[in-house]
Amino acid sequence: MSFNTSSRQLSKTDEAPEDVPSQEVTPLDAPAPRDTVQTSEAETPEVSAAEAKAPETEASEAKAPEAEAPEAKALEAPETETPEATTDPEPKAPEAKDPEAETPEAEASQTETSQTEASETETPETESPEAEAPDADAPEGEVEAPEQAAAAPDPAVSDSDTPTAPRPRRWRRVWGGWREKYPVAARVLAWTTTAVALAVVVVALLMPTQADKVRLAAFVRLPVEAIFGAALLIVLPRKPRIAVAAFAGLGLGALTVVNFLDIGFNEYLGRGFNVVLDWSLFSDAQGYLQDTFGKGGALGIAALAVTLVIAVLALTTLSVIRLGNLAARHTETATRTTLVLAIAWVTCAALGVQYAAGIPIASEHTMQALQFKAEQVQRTLQDEAEFAKIAKKDNFANTPPDQLLTGLRGKDMMITFIESYGRSAIEDPVMAPGVDATLTAENKKLTDAGFAAKSGWLTSATYGGSSWLGHSTFMSGLWISNQQRYRTVTAGERLTLPGAFKKTGAWDTVGVMPGVQKAWPEQNFYGIDKLYDSRKLGYKGPKFSWSTMPDQYALTAFERLVHSKKHDKPLMSTIILTSSHQPWAPIPELVPQDQVGDGSIYNAIEKAGKKPADIITDSTKSKQEYGKSIQYSVSSLINYLVKYGNKNTVLIFLGDHQPIARVSGNHASRDVPVSIVAKDPKVLDKIAAWNWADGLQPKQDTPVWKMNAFRDRFLTAYGSTPAP
């Protein structure tokens, strides 16, 4: 008699151990009993006499070869449909069928079998390890003892023919049961998940790097990277497909994070994120957040940022894996769809079809972004070596001290930077009315006090932040546009403007820098003899967001600690004012000079001022408050000059960079105003050829120089002899 084995093996139940023998012996020539539970035609296992004696058996998922007993060919037993059976090459006499024989354990086994089959149908890619089936050694026709029957191997079933399906994971059983109970909801959830995965991948592939370009048309395009990726995932086997999809998803997530950084850097610094140099800026950003929102707020923002990065990486990875698996399950449909999209992409690319100017339907955005980043890395590495050579060339490096700055001997010099004082403050329709009115009023004060001024434009090497790049560019005469250049130049011996005054031996050099809150090794590079940072100015008042103290107080402290003292030599003072630093809330107010004191008077002003959260997300409010901060800084400086300046005072003041793009605009220039103020008319006569505008406000057609050009022009105008 022949027995057909099942093409699938059912899961093993756990109700009783396998080595418990049956209490009855089945006669050799009796027909095999039928089970009451019917299985599908493709999944009809056979009963093994040895395993029938145990209350629990293993189900087979692989198809076993037919086994025929020579003595049983005359009487062929019918196929059994017990779900826990295996093939027995030596059929024994069946036990007497007891109508009450169906036990609860058997019913439970049958129930689990049905659930396992459903789970296997829903997850066709689940791979089951093969189980080993023992071979029987007992001679034909011999009835085995219960102990032998329980342990006897089956010679008709080999190791490779009888795989055993593992017990499905709990979440698969729960998910399978839920899908059977709520099929409509399950389909909707599956479709929604697939749609979300597709949207995540498309958005990641097409995300612009500038906030003003984020609009719907940018995402309704055909990304060529998705077409190539789909074609690759369709043809790969399961394990390589999942590995490639996971790697691609992580890469796409990392690119998305970099795109977000590009948007932020373009918004604040007017340039994209440099993957080589800009990591060091995160510590400065953390300090800014802490000064603006407090330690708790800064930690919360940092934790949120880390969480978002992890979420983006996980979401893109899972999305690509899901789409890859979906394409593998529906290979024919996925192949046709990919082919159609490829033809559409080639057609649109060849014809140059666009939604709007600069938005082609056939997109290569991700490939172009990766190429740009790779070229940026290459340029950055090359620039380091090239700039080191440029920095060694200095037209005034070997000029003798007695041939430097001969036209300014005996003058008290002040070089003052006003934070974020950019061209937009003078020309933007929201900010300009207030700032222009202030410049006009302060210029009248100067004129009434006997001073005169000339003003021009300089193009800063930075934008929106990184003020030290603007300071070093102006002082050194080199274009310091990134952190690597800054490190290179400050590690050398380049002659700076304060250093040139120091080299003559005719001036004492001092620095007043309320924004410096820790050790500042650049002091030696700049040639500053004595530094007054935030810890040495005696301030006892509150901080105004990032700014450690109001500009009026910093200038008053400079007068008290430095300028009012008797000196053997004139002073060369470098002062950096910080009240106009973002977020421009709260803003200090001018107080009577005799009430400045130790700064305690500012406590009430700081508490009554606006909070950063009140304006930081509103562009119009930010512009208004920024304009007010520039008015405060300029008024503080001019009031100090009028009160404490004299016929030998020469003031140079300028902005270090434009404010962030949310205030200055997405396409604003990098120009900043610069003014030279003096009582001695000879000082301004020496720069008459510069064609700068009279007063504190440069005109629209006033010449514009790059900021690094100022040092050499200034040294030359005031009597310095070039000597490379």
Side-chain angles (χ1 to χ4, degrees), residues 343-642:
I343 294 173
W345 190 93
V346 171
T347 302
C348 292
L351 298 177
V353 182
Q354 296 183 350
Y355 283 116
I359 307 180
I361 294 179
S363 168
E364 300 175 272
H365 176 75
T366 299
M367 294 176 63
Q368 292 173 347
L370 290 174
Q371 182 180 359
F372 176 80
K373 290 299 181 184
E375 292 174 352
Q376 183 185 59
V377 171
Q378 185 178 10
R379 288 195 305 268
T380 300
L381 298 178
Q382 291 176 348
D383 179 73
E384 181 178 355
E386 293 174 0
F387 180 74
K389 296 178 181 179
I390 295 173
K392 292 179 180 179
K393 298 178 181 179
D394 189 344
N395 292 333
F396 294 91
N398 298 316
T399 300
D402 60 350
Q403 296 180 23
L404 281 172
L405 298 165
T406 56
L408 291 173
R409 297 300 171 102
K411 304 295 184 184
D412 275 336
M413 296 295 306
M414 294 175 61
I415 296 179
T416 303
F417 292 92
I418 295 180
E419 172 67 33
S420 301
Y421 179 31
R423 185 166 187 160
S424 297
I426 296 176
E427 296 182 348
D428 184 271
V430 175
M431 302 172 289
V435 173
D436 290 348
T438 297
L439 292 174
T440 300
E442 298 305 324
N443 189 68
K444 186 175 186 306
K445 286 183 184 178
L446 289 175
T447 302
D448 293 344
F451 288 92
K454 285 188 175 292
S455 300
W457 301 112
L458 299 176
T459 301
S460 177
T462 185
Y463 178 97
S466 300
S467 300
W468 57 91
L469 302 182
H471 302 162
S472 57
T473 296
F474 181 80
M475 300 286 205
S476 70
L478 293 171
W479 189 253
I480 314 297
S481 56
N482 59 54
Q483 193 65 18
Q484 182 58 49
R485 287 190 167 205
Y486 180 77
R487 287 193 291 262
T488 299
V489 71
T490 55
E493 298 180 353
R494 178 81 177 183
L495 184 68
T496 65
L497 284 176
F501 282 95
K502 179 180 179 179
K503 185 177 179 179
T504 64
W507 282 271
D508 288 331
T509 57
V510 298
V512 178
M513 301 186 179
V516 175
Q517 304 177 51
K518 55 186 178 181
W520 194 57
E522 290 89 338
Q523 175 182 350
N524 292 329
F525 164 72
Y526 283 113
I528 295 175
D529 292 323
K530 192 165 185 179
L531 177 69
Y532 295 86
D533 60 17
S534 62
R535 300 165 294 181
K536 296 180 180 180
L537 291 172
Y539 182 64
K540 303 299 182 183
K543 292 181 69 173
F544 285 76
S545 294
W546 183 87
S547 179
T548 58
M549 63 192 70
D551 293 345
Q552 184 184 13
Y553 178 87
L555 291 166
T556 301
F558 166 66
E559 178 63 26
R560 182 181 73 251
L561 297 173
V562 182
H563 189 257
S564 63
K565 305 294 184 182
K566 290 185 178 181
H567 300 279
D568 296 332
K569 304 175 183 178
L571 290 175
M572 165 61 225
S573 306
T574 303
I575 303 173
I576 299 178
L577 302 179
T578 62
S579 290
S580 51
H581 194 287
Q582 61 177 312
W584 310 298
I587 300 173
E589 296 178 1
L590 291 170
V591 299
Q593 192 64 39
D594 58 357
Q595 297 181 20
V596 172
D598 63 359
S600 299
I601 191 174
Y602 295 106
N603 283 307
I605 297 174
E606 190 272 338
K607 290 179 181 178
K610 295 180 179 179
K611 305 302 179 186
D614 297 337
I615 70 166
I616 200 167
T617 58
D618 190 307
S619 178
T620 300
K621 290 182 179 179
S622 293
K623 287 185 175 186
Q624 293 170 345
E625 298 306 308
Y626 162 75
K628 293 177 182 178
S629 72
I630 295 298
Q631 295 175 50
Y632 169 80
S633 294
V634 171
S635 295
S636 297
L637 179 60
I638 299 304
N639 285 349
Y640 170 83
L641 183 63
V642 169

Side-chain angles (χ1 to χ4, degrees), residues 704-722:
V704 180
W705 304 344
K706 292 185 69 175
M707 187 177 280
N708 61 312
F710 182 86
R711 190 205 72 156
D712 286 8
R713 293 196 180 202
F714 179 83
L715 291 176
T716 301
Y718 290 102
S720 303
T721 303

Side-chain angles (χ1 to χ4, degrees), residues 256-277:
T256 302
V257 172
V258 173
N259 283 341
F260 277 119
L261 290 174
D262 279 335
I263 291 174
F265 271 66
N266 279 313
E267 183 74 8
Y268 282 86
L269 301 180
R271 61 175 178 82
F273 176 73
N274 189 309
V275 296
V276 177
L277 302 177

Side-chain angles (χ1 to χ4, degrees), residues 145-308:
E147 294 82 358
Q148 295 171 334
D154 190 346
V157 183
S158 66
D159 291 347
S160 61
D161 293 334
T162 58
T164 301
R167 184 183 182 88
R169 295 179 181 177
R170 181 176 182 83
W171 71 268
R172 288 187 179 275
R173 297 200 305 272
V174 173
W175 171 238
W178 186 86
R179 289 207 304 183
E180 290 180 357
K181 190 174 182 180
Y182 305 102
V184 176
R187 285 196 298 271
V188 171
L189 180 60
W191 294 340
T192 302
T193 305
T194 301
V196 170
L198 182 61
V200 167
V201 171
V202 170
V203 169
L205 289 171
L206 297 175
M207 177 182 291
T209 57
Q210 296 181 6
D212 62 324
K213 294 183 179 179
V214 178
R215 51 187 185 271
L216 182 60
F219 299 101
V220 190
R221 297 190 288 166
L222 291 177
V224 68
E225 303 84 5
I227 297 172
F228 277 110
L232 177 62
L233 294 178
I234 288 172
V235 301
L236 287 175
R238 179 177 180 273
K239 289 184 178 179
R241 182 183 71 248
I242 293 177
V244 170
F247 181 78
L250 284 173
L252 193 59
L255 182 62
T256 302
V257 172
V258 173
N259 283 341
F260 277 119
L261 290 174
D262 279 335
I263 291 174
F265 271 66
N266 279 313
E267 183 74 8
Y268 282 86
L269 301 180
R271 61 175 178 82
F273 176 73
N274 189 309
V275 296
V276 177
L277 302 177
D278 287 340
W279 300 105
S280 61
L281 298 181
F282 287 104
S283 60
D284 295 312
Q286 179 69 10
Y288 165 72
L289 292 173
Q290 184 169 326
D291 291 332
T292 303
F293 300 105
K295 185 176 293 186
L299 289 176
I301 294 173
L304 178 61
V306 172
T307 301
L308 289 175

